[in-house]
Amino acid sequence: PNLRKFVTEASSGGDDSADLNDRIHFLPWEKNPFDHQRRSYSLCNAMLDSYPYNGHTTAQDALYAGVPLITRSDGDDMSSRVSTSANIVLGLEEMNAYRGIEEYETIAIRLGTDKDWFASIRTKLIETCQQKNPMHPYWDVPRYVNNFQNGLKATWDNFLAGNEIGHVEVKEEGEQGTMEIEIVAREEKRQIAKDGREQNTTRGNEHGDEL
């Protein structure tokens, strides 16, 4: 109600306010994040990122659903450059407005009016999500976790050695990227562990009943 009231007041309560409010949609809660992402694909064509504090979880939901993300890249803080980094890694740097609000608007207008360009951007984004063997670096969570752990270890080792505080650079060695067979193996291992916990819980309950 408050958002719709704001839209009405901002548009001076004229005919435009009704049109704008009709374009605002509130989605019901969806507990499954994958189902939530799938519906984002058919709900909108592009996401206009917030500034100076970028979208975080909402932006990732949109990107994984194949929805291009237009963002301003003229901020100085980390929180204002999150989406800029995402688009660079995804190979979609043309979605970054480095020159501020005017370029931001220009990109959005072109994406909404140039069907061929929009199709090429969306196709490129979807291909990153579907890439396998290895996974695309942006969506490769196991690879990210491994590098993050190595970074934490390097930081801790640096502290124990009594060295001055400085930047930590994580370098990957050998083959990079997670293969599909590794994902399957991880999921099987997780499922076995889950089944084991459930069996132990059942046995515990049965033992309690006997007592």
Side-chain angles (χ1 to χ4, degrees):
N2 291 328
L3 177 58
R4 297 197 183 281
K5 179 181 178 182
F6 170 78
V7 171
T8 300
E9 293 175 348
S11 56
S12 302
D15 295 335
D16 289 342
S17 63
D19 178 58
L20 289 174
N21 271 304
D22 287 340
R23 295 165 63 185
I24 298 175
H25 303 278
F26 293 94
L27 299 178
W29 168 252
E30 175 55 67
K31 63 180 180 179
N32 187 318
F34 295 104
D35 289 339
H36 168 63
Q37 290 162 344
R38 275 196 291 267
R39 68 183 178 181
S40 296
Y41 177 86
S42 60
L43 181 69
C44 60
N45 299 112
M47 176 177 176
L48 302 178
D49 198 20
S50 54
Y51 182 89
Y53 194 90
N54 288 173
H56 287 64
T57 302
T58 53
Q60 306 319 304
D61 285 344
L63 290 171
Y64 199 67
V67 179
L69 175 65
I70 306 166
T71 187
R72 285 181 58 177
S73 304
D74 56 329
D76 296 325
D77 298 327
M78 184 279 291
S79 60
S80 65
R81 300 181 68 83
V82 172
S83 299
T84 295
S85 298
N87 281 334
I88 290 175
V89 177
L90 290 167
L92 298 172
E93 197 166 2
E94 54 265 65
M95 294 292 98
N96 294 340
Y98 292 100
R99 291 187 290 274
I101 185 64
E102 291 186 2
E103 185 179 18
Y104 177 81
E105 293 176 352
T106 299
I107 295 172
I109 292 171
R110 183 186 175 190
L111 202 65
T113 56
D114 188 334
K115 294 182 178 180
D116 291 337
W117 192 55
F118 168 74
S120 68
I121 293 295
R122 194 168 210 179
T123 298
K124 188 187 298 185
L125 174 56
I126 292 174
E127 286 176 348
T128 68
C129 301
Q130 296 178 331
Q131 180 179 315
K132 298 179 181 179
N133 299 321
M135 297 175 65
H136 189 280
Y138 190 78
W139 305 112
D140 194 342
V141 175
R143 179 180 178 182
Y144 171 82
V145 170
N146 183 63
N147 288 332
F148 186 61
Q149 289 175 333
N150 290 337
L152 292 177
K153 185 178 184 302
T155 302
W156 181 244
D157 290 342
N158 189 67
F159 170 76
L160 293 179
N163 299 326
E164 293 184 0
I165 297 175
H167 294 290
V168 173
E169 183 177 356
V170 177
K171 296 183 178 180
E172 295 180 306
E173 298 180 358
E175 295 185 5
Q176 302 174 7
T178 303
M179 310 299 279
E180 186 174 16
I181 189 173
E182 297 177 62
I183 298 295
V184 174
R186 290 170 188 264
E187 178 59 24
E188 290 177 347
K189 184 177 180 180
R190 186 195 67 80
Q191 189 62 48
I192 291 172
K194 178 182 177 182
D195 292 342
R197 289 193 299 270
E198 291 177 349
Q199 290 177 4
N200 290 334
T201 300
T202 301
R203 292 190 188 118
N205 292 336
E206 292 174 350
H207 182 66
D209 293 339
E210 292 174 0
L211 294 177

